[in-house]
Amino acid sequence: MKKVLVIGSAVVDVVIHLPHLPEKSEDVHVTSQKMSLGGCAYNASDTIRHFKVPYIPFFPVGTGAYGDFVRNALAERGIVSPVPKPETENGCCYCFVEDDGERTFACYHGAEYRFQKEWFDTLDASEIDSVYICGLEIEEETGTNILSYLEEHPEFTVFFAPGPRITLLDPKRLERVFALHPILHLNQQEITSYTGKEELKAAAEEIHRFTQNTVIVTLGADGCYYYDGEKEETIPGVPAEQLDTIGAGDSHIGAVIAGLQCGKTIEEAIATANRVSAKVVETEGALLSDEAFASLDLL
């Protein structure tokens, strides 16, 4: 089995629990806070790891207190990124979790999001067949370095999880992403906002017209929809008692990638991913422990 190249950030998530997001000038008491290792790419890679699928964690880790936290946390887990250490400061992500479990992010971007062209020279493309990319890194000025590398390797299967930033990405840069024929992974709000179409099939058809590849749309408790240009299907969700939704989408795309790497059909991969993401929303934070993952009995 070849490797999945996971391009993106490993960051400090500062998780802040509060009753609700404050309105302007309002004073709200925080009920708890903690720092943990996170980042969309890292979260997705940790799910891939659970499935014992080989992957390359292509994560820049810079300087400063947040960089030290990430570096130490990765070392504790035995994770080594081939990216040379940038001599610039790491940022962090503030994750505000309300009482109903919904989360809102405020990110301070640093070295972890800014990819340099020469870093990709450390990779052996013959070891890779699939690549994960996120909208946050592509949006940065240096996102063109990621795209240039992928354009040099049309043999890769690209999985693109743009998140809500899809509506803010430069249209010309998004055209370059779509020209890679990626499998796109979004939630219902994201695809509706981008296409302007409320009907799910119409929105998926709009995306497919550009990518000519499968479009996957998560629907929360209602499961997950996909459209491949000919067939559409909604794979039912798994009942879950929601604690918070941090990392649910990341774990879902990670499980889809892992499932496909293991030879599952798209329907099987999505059904498995639905189970994993349901377990994540029942868990505080973005990651599943090895014990929690094992309890799903997926291997």
Side-chain angles (χ1 to χ4, degrees):
M1 187 187 298
K2 289 194 174 184
K3 298 177 181 178
V4 180
L5 175 62
V6 183
I7 300 175
S9 61
V11 304
V12 177
D13 280 343
V14 183
V15 183
I16 301 169
H17 288 263
L18 70 178
H20 61 271
L21 290 178
E23 297 180 3
K24 189 173 182 178
S25 301
E26 185 182 5
D27 183 358
V28 175
H29 287 193
V30 169
T31 55
S32 68
Q33 66 174 357
K34 71 172 185 177
M35 291 170 56
S36 62
L37 182 62
C40 295
Y42 173 72
N43 296 341
S45 76
D46 194 60
T47 298
I48 293 170
R49 174 189 68 83
H50 280 307
F51 284 91
K52 304 187 187 308
V53 168
Y55 71 98
I56 300 171
F58 207 66
F59 310 146
V61 184
T63 63
Y66 294 132
D68 291 343
F69 182 97
V70 171
R71 190 174 295 103
N72 292 336
L74 290 176
E76 288 173 3
R77 292 161 173 79
I79 298 171
V80 179
S81 170
V83 178
K85 179 183 175 182
E87 292 304 319
T88 49
E89 188 179 33
N90 253 47
C92 69
C93 180
Y94 299 99
C95 309
F96 298 96
V97 183
E98 299 175 78
D99 281 348
D100 63 0
E102 283 301 322
R103 78 283 188 269
T104 303
F105 301 118
C107 297
Y108 171 58
H109 284 194
E112 71 275 23
Y113 287 100
R114 299 179 181 125
F115 284 73
Q116 305 306 311
K117 185 176 182 181
E118 60 271 18
W119 295 349
F120 293 93
D121 295 337
T122 65
L123 296 169
D124 180 354
S126 68
E127 297 182 337
I128 301 162
D129 66 359
S130 299
V131 182
Y132 164 96
I133 55 175
C134 172
L136 291 167
E137 290 79 23
I138 299 300
E139 184 181 353
E140 292 285 341
E141 183 179 345
T142 52
T144 55
N145 295 327
I146 299 173
L147 294 178
S148 293
Y149 175 73
L150 297 179
E151 287 164 348
E152 292 170 5
H153 295 282
E155 72 275 17
F156 294 163
T157 298
V158 176
F159 293 84
F160 181 41
R165 308 297 294 180
I166 188 171
T167 59
L168 301 173
L169 276 166
D170 182 295
K172 291 186 177 179
R173 192 167 297 187
L174 202 52
E175 283 180 18
R176 291 180 65 183
V177 177
F178 288 163
L180 299 169
H181 305 296
I183 294 174
L184 218 66
H185 187 276
L186 315 97
N187 65 31
Q188 190 165 12
Q189 182 179 357
E190 291 160 359
I191 195 170
T192 297
S193 296
Y194 177 71
T195 63
K197 299 181 185 298
E198 294 291 335
E199 202 272 316
L200 200 52
K201 184 177 182 181
E205 286 176 334
E206 179 76 6
I207 296 285
H208 186 272
R209 185 165 62 86
F210 298 117
T211 64
Q212 295 299 299
N213 210 335
T214 304
V215 180
I216 299 171
V217 185
T218 57
L219 307 173
D222 293 328
C224 182
Y225 168 92
Y226 83 92
Y227 173 76
D228 65 6
E230 296 181 358
K231 182 180 179 181
E232 62 169 341
E233 187 172 346
T234 299
I235 311 299
V238 176
E241 186 174 336
Q242 181 171 295
L243 184 59
D244 72 50
T245 59
I246 296 174
D250 303 330
S251 67
H252 195 279
I253 183 60
V256 168
I257 294 171
L260 294 175
Q261 289 291 101
C262 292
K264 292 180 182 291
T265 65
I266 186 66
E267 294 89 353
E268 292 169 338
I270 290 175
T272 298
N274 288 353
R275 291 181 62 191
V276 172
S277 59
K279 191 71 172 178
V280 169
V281 302
E282 292 183 331
T283 305
E284 184 177 1
L287 306 176
L288 292 181
S289 66
D290 290 345
E291 295 75 17
F293 180 82
S295 72
L296 294 171
D297 196 24
L298 297 173
L299 298 183

